[in-house]
Amino acid sequence: MKRIKMETAAVTTTFSRPQHLNVPADLLERPEAVFVGGCWQAGRGAAAILAIDPSTGEAFARILPASAEQVAEATQAAERAFIDWRRTSGARRADFLRAIAAGLRGRKPDLVALQMLNNGKPRYEAEIDVDDAAATFDYYADLAAELDDQQGRPVLLGDESLTGATYLEPLGPVALVVAWNFPMVTTAWKLAPALAAGCTAVLKPSEFTTLAELVYGDLATQIGLPAGVLNIVPGGGSVGAALCSDRRIRKISFTGSNATGSQVMAAAAGRIVPVSLELGGKSPIIILEDADIAQAVEFASAGIFFNCGQMCSATSRLMVAEGIAEDVTAALVAKTNQLLVAGHDEPDAQMGPLTTTEQFAKVKAVLEKARAAGLDCITGGNPVHDRRGFFVEPSIYRNVPTDHAVWREEIFGPVLAMRSFTSVDEAVALANDTDFGLAATVVGTDGDAAAAVARRLDAGHIWVNTSQMIFPNTAWGGFKASGIGRELGPWGLAAYRGVKHITSAV
Ligand code: NAD
């Protein structure tokens, strides 16, 4: 562990940086973390943000957030840059997107190390993140390259004296506000289609994982992205609120909690600004009577313990056919008990810590509540006492009452609620009995029967005999309280474009 003392006029902080991760200093020391009009500036906002290593609970860097004035400068820069960027050909925009993808891949080892340090992700998970972010830019580069030929498509009007044509126009400068659980990835899902469509962007990273997102500013400079096409304003909720209510913003795309999502929607309503919301979930996994038990257990485990359960798509409610419930439960508990829960000092870690101290407190409170209610905990149920940092045991509860918070509310941690069912109708009813509708998994040897169950579920993305795989050309987003709109695929691009029709006299 390397100790580094940093002093400013007001504060002296000692930072701990684990040397085995080898995160380069340029990714950690960011006296200028606000990116406006192609230039880095020192943040002039309120209290400094400390970046915390969740494996140890210690601070490793400090970031000065943007002020409200800097947010306004960023939206002005985005507005100015929009004039030329919207006229830049799709083919040229595609070149920039490909260059960002290549840039991410070029810094992959450093970004993986940074994700491990800041998010507590095991190495293999951090590697997936960087690959997914790069793949998203490549995908939208392909779509951007096709845009030029799609403009001005003729529309037959049935009147020979008139012609019609349709254009798809970028909406303008957009606000992109993201969460902390998959930094770079959820940003890529917004930034890549926004830039492909011809929008300029102001990105507001999560205050918990700012540093990884700043790399997009570095790449913008490196590839010569025109000034103001991408701007970054680090900070907390007040910076996000200032951005969402800025009069120059023509679209808001938000990923985060339902509570904040509704505030963002209210801000958007004030000015009638279109909004996309990617919110929470309480997704089901249904294990049918004919399921392969080993496979079902793999999917159930990945669906709740990947990223320490901090996934909007976590399949946190397991429904298993009564006939195999005992075998599935035994196999799942055995697998869970073998998971290596550890931080970045353990190369073979399979599940890391929770990412923030707030999330740690929230999950511990849920475990307490479950204990107080006498829920049947079949493994886990406690914080990990012998480690520093924000570790909790992977936890499973059986026969959870359907009106209990562990069954109904998003926990955003490695906590699985189980129930059994006696008929497929009962399983479908249980699965759909939720305010959310983001994702689901169905497992069964008869693929057609499993797919038929999938068709009956109210969820935006469903996996049949696989789990948590998200490709850039599929749709991401939810029904009900899980959000509004879809990211990824052509739908993700459409979210940043408006339809313009021109009717002309011949
Ligand atoms: P959060 O709502 O606390 O914060 C999200 C972002 O909003 C942060 O950048 C935050 O600073 C900002 N913010 C806070 N107040 C704001 C305001 N008034 N106006 C504008 N911005 C504001 O969420 P979180 O804790 O960072 O993320 C966890 C949540 O995100 C979970 O509920 C999870 O399900 C959800 N999530 C959803 C998806 C999805 O694709 N559906 C993906 C990842 C996370």
Side-chain angles (χ1 to χ4, degrees), residues 177-181 186 204-207 235-237 240-241 244 254-257 260 263-264 278-280 312 410 412 438 476:
V177 181
V178 292
W180 45 262
N181 56 337
T186 43
K204 212 296 281 171
S206 166
E207 57 273 41
C244 292
F254 171 82
T255 295
S257 63
T260 310
Q263 290 178 38
V264 167
E278 294 293 340
L279 307 176
C312 50
E410 181 180 55
F412 225 53
L438 188 58
W476 188 253

Side-chain angles (χ1 to χ4, degrees), residues 62-79:
R62 181 175 43 231
I63 301 122
L64 299 175
S67 64
E69 195 186 21
Q70 286 175 304
V71 171
E73 288 168 16
T75 60
Q76 273 164 27
E79 190 180 53

Side-chain angles (χ1 to χ4, degrees), residues 248-271:
R248 298 172 197 88
I249 293 299
R250 299 286 166 219
K251 155 99 197 186
I252 302 169
S253 181
F254 171 82
T255 295
S257 63
N258 283 61
T260 310
S262 91
Q263 290 178 38
V264 167
M265 204 168 160
R271 295 191 305 110

Side-chain angles (χ1 to χ4, degrees), residues 474-494:
T474 59
W476 188 253
F479 289 88
K480 301 194 267 184
S482 286
I484 295 177
R486 292 291 180 271
E487 295 197 304
L488 296 180
W491 309 277
L493 186 66

Side-chain angles (χ1 to χ4, degrees), residues 252-418:
I252 302 169
S253 181
F254 171 82
T255 295
S257 63
N258 283 61
T260 310
S262 91
Q263 290 178 38
V264 167
M265 204 168 160
R271 295 191 305 110
I272 319 290
V273 174
V275 60
S276 299
L277 300 176
E278 294 293 340
L279 307 176
K282 189 74 186 175
S283 299
I285 171 167
I286 298 178
I287 302 179
L288 298 168
E289 184 98 42
D290 66 342
D292 176 294
I293 289 177
Q295 197 186 47
V297 164
E298 280 298 320
F299 299 148
S301 176
I304 190 65
F305 300 136
F306 191 89
N307 208 29
C308 199
Q310 301 165 117
M311 297 184 286
C312 50
S313 57
T315 41
S316 51
R317 291 182 301 140
L318 187 154
M319 284 136 238
V320 56
E322 200 171 62
I324 57 167
E326 216 167 288
D327 291 346
V328 167
T329 306
L332 184 55
V333 167
K335 183 173 173 59
T336 304
N337 291 345
Q338 281 167 7
L339 277 180
L340 179 56
V341 180
H344 48 63
D345 56 342
E346 172 51 70
D348 298 323
Q350 291 167 298
M351 192 182 97
L354 292 157
T355 298
T356 71
T357 184
E358 290 79 358
Q359 199 55 34
F360 188 40
K362 185 182 161 198
V363 174
K364 281 193 290 186
V366 169
L367 300 178
E368 271 309 311
K369 204 167 167 178
R371 195 187 331 275
L375 293 195
D376 184 5
C377 181
I378 50 176
T379 186
N382 297 294
V384 177
H385 293 295
D386 63 344
R387 296 194 74 98
R388 290 183 304 153
F390 312 147
F391 293 91
V392 291
E393 295 170 350
S395 305
I396 305 178
Y397 295 88
R398 185 169 49 183
N399 302 327
V400 179
T402 57
D403 60 354
H404 194 277
V406 167
W407 186 263
R408 301 214 79 82
E409 292 171 15
E410 181 180 55
I411 297 169
F412 225 53
V415 182
L416 180 67
M418 287 182 71

Side-chain angles (χ1 to χ4, degrees), residues 18-24 55 107-132 182 184 306-307 340 342-353:
Q19 283 182 293
H20 61 270
L21 282 180
N22 238 339
V23 184
S55 299
R107 292 219 76 175
K108 181 173 171 180
D110 300 339
L111 293 173
V112 166
L114 178 58
Q115 295 273 65
M116 293 171 73
L117 176 60
N118 199 170
N119 279 73
K121 292 177 191 257
R123 180 171 293 281
Y124 79 100
E125 293 190 11
E127 286 176 346
I128 291 173
D129 278 14
V130 181
D131 292 344
D132 282 358
F182 291 102
M184 290 193 295
F306 191 89
N307 208 29
L340 179 56
H344 48 63
D345 56 342
E346 172 51 70
D348 298 323
Q350 291 167 298
M351 192 182 97

